[in-house]
Structures are given as C-alpha cells and as structure tokens.
Amino acid sequence: MQPEQFNILLRFFKALADDSRLKIVGILANQECSVEELAVLLQLKEPTVSHHLAKLKELNLVTMRPKGNSRLYQLDSEALQSISKEIFTPEKIASLIEDVDTEAWESKVLKNYFEGDVSDKDSVQRLKEIPASRKKRLVILKWLANQFEVGINYPERLVNDILKRYHPDCATLRRELIGYQLMQRENGVYCRAISF
C-alpha cells in the first residue's frame, strides 16, 4: 500500500473511531441535516457537532450545501464508495503488513521448544516437549513435516527414525502429523502433504 493510501486509511479509521461521528455518518446517510438538527438528534452542543463535521469533511465523507441562513450536510456516498474501491480491497488491506515479520511468532515458538538452532540443518535439534497449545503444536508439526521430502514415500519405521531424532515420542508426533493433515498415510506408507 502506498504511503498516501495508508495515511487516508489511518485518517479514515481515526475519524470513525468516535461514536458521535459514526452516528453522524449514519444520520447523514439517510437525510440532510443542519448542525442544529444534528445537535438535537445527538444531544450534543452545536460547536461539538461542527467539530465532528469538520473531521468528516477532511476525508470528504460529508458534503455541505447552503440553504438560506443554514448549511445542510449529507453523507457523500460516492466518496465512501471510492475509498472502499481504492483502499478496502483484500489485497490492499493485506499489504499493510509488508514491513512486518509475519513469521516472528513462529520463530519464537520454535526457539522456545527446540534445543539447538532450527535454522541450521547441521546443528542438533531436540524438541523439549510437545506443546499443549494447538496453535504452537501446529508450528512444531509444520517444522517437523518439512523434514520429509515431498513426493517420497516413507515406511513407518523410517518415519519413526526421523521423528526420534527430535523427540522420543515418535508415535504421538506421527499421529499428530496425520491428524493435522501435514502427512498422509496409506497401508503403512507415509508421504508429506504437498502444501500446508
């Protein structure tokens, strides 16, 4: 997401993070209102309503038109749709984390549960314990599944030997790998799932 779009998104959420402004948007989506009418409807003072309207106008969410001595405000639905089309796409929202290490938590889990450096294939890694937490256990099981080659069939004995390198309870780990669908078993032959 471009910095300009990120700032618009941030200002949008900040502007609508106030319950009075949300109510104003809701009212103006249905009808035009003056500051005086909004103040009565929301039981707020007119200067407070004007302040909220100014915040919404900064984002072009409301329009104003003069009528006699008063000004009528209305939600600009086109501006709202434009923000939605340009910024609220799944791809744009997902791009908010471009500079965030999304694997930091998984790395921490691996570091906490393994002795040895899990990123170094030459070092000895031992699983201290099988995590009780399903989410942490899945991280460990994915790492273990990656110790098997895709497209290779492994007899149960070889699966046990590989798993015993990391933890003595290979039967539990083997069942969990199958249960989480990280490996498949057929007639005592195991293979790693292609993607997980």
Side-chain angles (χ1 to χ4, degrees), residues 63-160:
T63 58
M64 184 271 302
R65 71 176 180 90
K67 184 176 182 186
N69 290 339
S70 64
R71 295 178 176 150
L72 296 177
Y73 293 87
Q74 186 172 18
L75 178 69
D76 187 343
S77 58
E78 287 180 16
L80 190 60
Q81 287 175 351
S82 174
I83 289 174
S84 177
K85 284 180 186 174
E86 290 176 29
I87 297 175
F88 287 122
T89 66
E91 296 82 19
K92 294 283 184 171
I93 297 297
S95 73
L96 291 172
I97 61 165
E98 286 175 346
D99 59 345
V100 175
D101 181 4
T102 56
E103 296 177 5
W105 182 79
E106 290 182 358
S107 297
K108 181 181 178 199
V109 169
L110 291 171
K111 186 176 179 182
N112 288 341
Y113 280 89
F114 275 97
E115 295 170 356
D117 184 0
V118 292
S119 61
D120 181 8
K121 291 272 188 195
D122 296 328
S123 78
V124 176
Q125 300 103 0
R126 294 290 296 169
L127 182 59
K128 297 175 192 174
E129 64 179 298
I130 300 171
S133 157
R134 291 179 58 82
K135 192 171 181 181
K136 290 178 182 177
R137 187 180 310 164
L138 181 58
V139 171
I140 299 299
L141 292 171
K142 282 182 179 180
W143 186 88
L144 288 169
N146 278 317
Q147 306 315 302
F148 297 89
E149 297 289 327
V150 175
I152 303 290
N153 291 329
Y154 295 89
E156 189 169 300
R157 180 186 45 68
L158 184 54
V159 171
N160 288 343

Side-chain angles (χ1 to χ4, degrees), residues 32-44:
E32 282 186 319
C33 286
S34 67
V35 171
E36 181 184 5
E37 291 170 314
L38 287 168
V40 170
L41 289 170
L42 297 169
Q43 298 177 354
L44 296 172

Side-chain angles (χ1 to χ4, degrees), residues 42-76:
L42 297 169
Q43 298 177 354
L44 296 172
K45 294 184 176 170
E46 289 183 27
T48 303
V49 171
S50 293
H51 168 77
H52 289 312
L53 286 169
K55 292 283 187 189
L56 295 171
K57 280 185 74 175
E58 286 176 14
L59 290 169
N60 299 318
L61 290 177
V62 295
T63 58
M64 184 271 302
R65 71 176 180 90
K67 184 176 182 186
N69 290 339
S70 64
R71 295 178 176 150
L72 296 177
Y73 293 87
Q74 186 172 18
L75 178 69
D76 187 343

Side-chain angles (χ1 to χ4, degrees), residues 130 137 141 171-182:
I130 300 171
R137 187 180 310 164
L141 292 171
T172 297
L173 292 173
R174 196 178 63 240
R175 279 193 306 272
E176 292 288 307
L177 286 166
I178 298 297
Y180 280 87
Q181 298 179 350
L182 299 171

